Amino acid sequence: RIGKQVTLQRSTGVVKDVKGDRVVLTVAGGTIELKFSEIAYDVRLDDIKKEGLLPAKSAEEAVFRFAGGKSVAALATARGLPAGDDQSRALGAIAGWVLQEIDKSLAAGPTVKAAEELAAGWAKQADLVAAGNGSIRKFIDAVLAPKLVEEADALVEKDRKQARKLLDLAASLCKSDDIAAKVAERRWAVLDKGEWMALSLDALAYDGGELKGKVLAYEDTEKTEKNKVTGLRITSLGISWDEISGIRARVKPGKTDMFDMRVIFGKGRESHSVVVQPNEGMGYRVHFQEGKEPKVGAGSSRKVPKKADYEFTAQWEGKKWKVSVSGTEIDSFEMAEDPMELMFIASDGSAELLGLQVRRK
């Protein structure tokens, strides 16, 4: 107020005049002018609060402090407000600023830079992403992620590494089921030789199982014919079998004395099974061939520690398929044909397929 003594940073004097962008102070020896833009925001805010023009905590203070700092740390004042209108208003205003910054970054280009900056900072702040009726989330899902996927499509033939980077960013930022499906469709095309990719269980073509939440449950329903079992048969992975050089499955057994993963080759006349007997703590390989009795691989029996769930792996290495269970190598065998189907059996019991991965040839 005019005529009031104030201390602004290192200057103390009496307010002589207030102009649009500065204050004039009378000090010993004359007058000085201080531009508002040069006065630290916390000094100005403290003076406002001292005069009783703002309550101890307010949305205005939160926005004001953020405007001065524009950092994740500056969100603390907004988060310190009681949950309700003031906090929502403060976070909504900050979210609006973030959206403006993303727009500017996208305009300046490239898209990947804007996405990386967002992923590294503001996108990690869940309450901010949800603020303003989810304005940042809506922008990511409806604008940014589709743009990343579109640019990945244009790059996949000439720069697979960059296309993969764009898809990874889209997947990490976006929560849209549509974008997740598009990324999954393209993921295989950008993998390097020998890399693994997780498959969505609900995208598989299968018989004999039931999708329950995020797992595929199956059981042996054969009760009449001895030495015959039923289970889960996967006929298609959504990827050509001749592009696959490895299969990895995580299985949780139910009440069963024996369960396995069977890789079926060629025209279905031959398969190799990796078997686990959890109660005995043993694992081994069985060779099935049309017209012949099943045969346990010579010397393939191994001790396998009992676990809540087990990881079966079959992968092509050095001109042979090698099979293992939860890191324990079981056996290897030669096979000229490509895989064509997978089967999962839980003899006289049940089990769940928790996850399935394939390796690019």
Side-chain angles (χ1 to χ4, degrees), residues 262-273 285-292 333-341:
R262 302 183 185 187
V263 186
I264 302 168
F265 294 89
K267 295 181 179 180
R269 293 190 297 266
E270 190 170 358
S271 65
H272 289 264
S273 171
R285 177 180 66 90
V286 179
H287 179 204
F288 295 88
Q289 195 166 8
E290 191 176 51
K292 296 183 179 181
F333 58 90
E334 294 182 358
M335 176 58 64
E337 302 281 355
D338 290 318
M340 60 171 287
E341 286 185 8

Side-chain angles (χ1 to χ4, degrees), residues 40-51:
Y41 72 91
D42 55 340
V43 172
R44 287 177 277 156
L45 184 63
D46 289 344
D47 194 49
I48 291 169
K49 293 178 74 174
K50 189 188 301 180
E51 294 298 324

Side-chain angles (χ1 to χ4, degrees), residues 215-240:
V215 305
L216 261 175
Y218 56 95
E219 61 180 319
D220 180 9
T221 58
E222 177 57 50
K223 304 298 181 185
T224 58
E225 190 174 337
K226 190 177 180 181
N227 297 327
K228 184 177 179 181
V229 292
T230 61
L232 172 66
R233 180 184 291 270
I234 297 176
T235 56
S236 174
L237 304 174
I239 296 165
S240 177

Side-chain angles (χ1 to χ4, degrees), residues 98-118:
V98 172
L99 284 173
Q100 290 176 338
E101 292 300 298
I102 300 171
D103 270 340
K104 287 195 293 184
S105 186
L106 283 176
T111 304
V112 65
K113 183 180 178 182
E116 284 179 328
E117 290 173 352
L118 182 62

Side-chain angles (χ1 to χ4, degrees), residues 234-278:
I234 297 176
T235 56
S236 174
L237 304 174
I239 296 165
S240 177
W241 288 99
D242 61 8
E243 296 179 11
I244 293 170
S245 63
I247 300 158
R248 184 183 289 157
R250 194 158 61 90
V251 176
K252 181 179 179 180
K255 292 181 179 180
T256 179
D257 293 329
M258 182 174 66
F259 64 103
D260 70 348
M261 177 182 81
R262 302 183 185 187
V263 186
I264 302 168
F265 294 89
K267 295 181 179 180
R269 293 190 297 266
E270 190 170 358
S271 65
H272 289 264
S273 171
V274 190
V275 182
V276 174
Q277 292 180 300

